[in-house]
Amino acid sequence: MDYFIWDKNYNTNIEKIDEQHEILLSMMNSLHNGLKLSDTHLNKIVANVINDLFDYISYHFKTEEDLMEKSNYPYYEEHKNEHSVFFKKMLEIQKEFSKGKLNIEKELLDFLKDWLIKHILATDKKLGNFLLEKGNNNENE
Ligand SMILES: [Fe+2]
Ligand SMILES: [Fe+2]
């Protein structure tokens, strides 16, 4: 069974955002499954997946921040600030991991999962509702 299961409550109904959230979820599930393997190269594999995940998260944050900027979203600063605080925390975790601290993978995943669920349900959905009201769904630039 997957570690992180999509729930329809997580939908913001903004296609671009929901697609990226689902990709994030599946990357986290791959990382979780990777942790179950016993392999001498496991640390290297996990480090690569963590790097890919972090890259994708910054790309995703940028997508949301661009949508907020373009729509003159009134809670832009608050939302962006949540992203920045989260990103700083992730960098700390990544640093711990590179120092070889044990169980960091599980810590990272649990932290990511909790944060994402809370952030999607409150902050991203609030943005989604605003964009839907403005009629900005599925906009292609
Ligand atoms: Fe967000
Ligand atoms: Fe998001």
Side-chain angles (χ1 to χ4, degrees):
M1 190 162 130
D2 277 338
Y3 168 74
F4 197 161
I5 296 161
W6 184 259
D7 185 292
K8 62 176 175 3
N9 270 331
Y10 302 154
N11 279 325
T12 62
N13 297 313
I14 304 298
E15 203 174 307
K16 205 194 251 177
I17 296 179
D18 291 336
E19 267 172 21
Q20 293 185 1
H21 285 162
E22 288 203 50
I23 291 171
L24 277 176
L25 242 84
S26 68
M27 289 177 91
M28 287 175 60
N29 285 329
S30 307
L31 184 55
H32 185 256
N33 293 336
L35 296 177
K36 289 187 208 145
L37 305 169
S38 61
D39 188 291
T40 45
H41 302 296
L42 184 61
N43 263 17
K44 179 121 187 58
I45 294 167
V46 170
N48 286 338
V49 178
I50 289 176
N51 288 339
D52 287 351
L53 187 61
F54 285 7
D55 283 350
Y56 196 77
I57 287 172
S58 30
Y59 167 74
H60 170 63
F61 285 174
K62 180 85 175 63
T63 300
E64 287 183 356
E65 286 159 17
D66 285 350
L67 285 170
M68 289 192 263
E69 252 189 319
K70 273 197 277 173
S71 61
N72 291 316
Y73 185 52
Y75 304 101
Y76 173 75
E77 286 303 326
E78 286 101 309
H79 194 141
K80 197 179 170 188
N81 194 44
E82 276 190 39
H83 289 168
S84 315
V85 170
F86 173 76
F87 209 76
K88 255 185 226 151
K89 176 74 186 158
M90 283 201 319
L91 290 177
E92 276 169 37
I93 292 176
Q94 196 178 28
K95 219 159 90 192
E96 293 297 313
F97 178 76
S98 64
K99 280 191 229 152
K101 196 184 154 203
L102 282 175
N103 287 329
I104 196 69
E105 307 92 336
K106 184 79 175 82
E107 267 174 50
L108 172 76
L109 275 174
D110 289 345
F111 166 72
L112 271 174
K113 186 179 172 181
D114 286 353
W115 188 88
L116 269 174
I117 291 173
K118 279 185 206 137
H119 182 80
I120 289 173
L121 288 176
T123 312
D124 287 348
K125 283 186 86 154
K126 183 170 163 182
L127 170 63
N129 289 337
F130 174 81
L131 292 175
L132 285 175
E133 267 173 39
K134 285 199 94 177
N136 281 8
N137 190 24
N138 309 330
E139 173 201 31
N140 296 309
E141 61 252 50

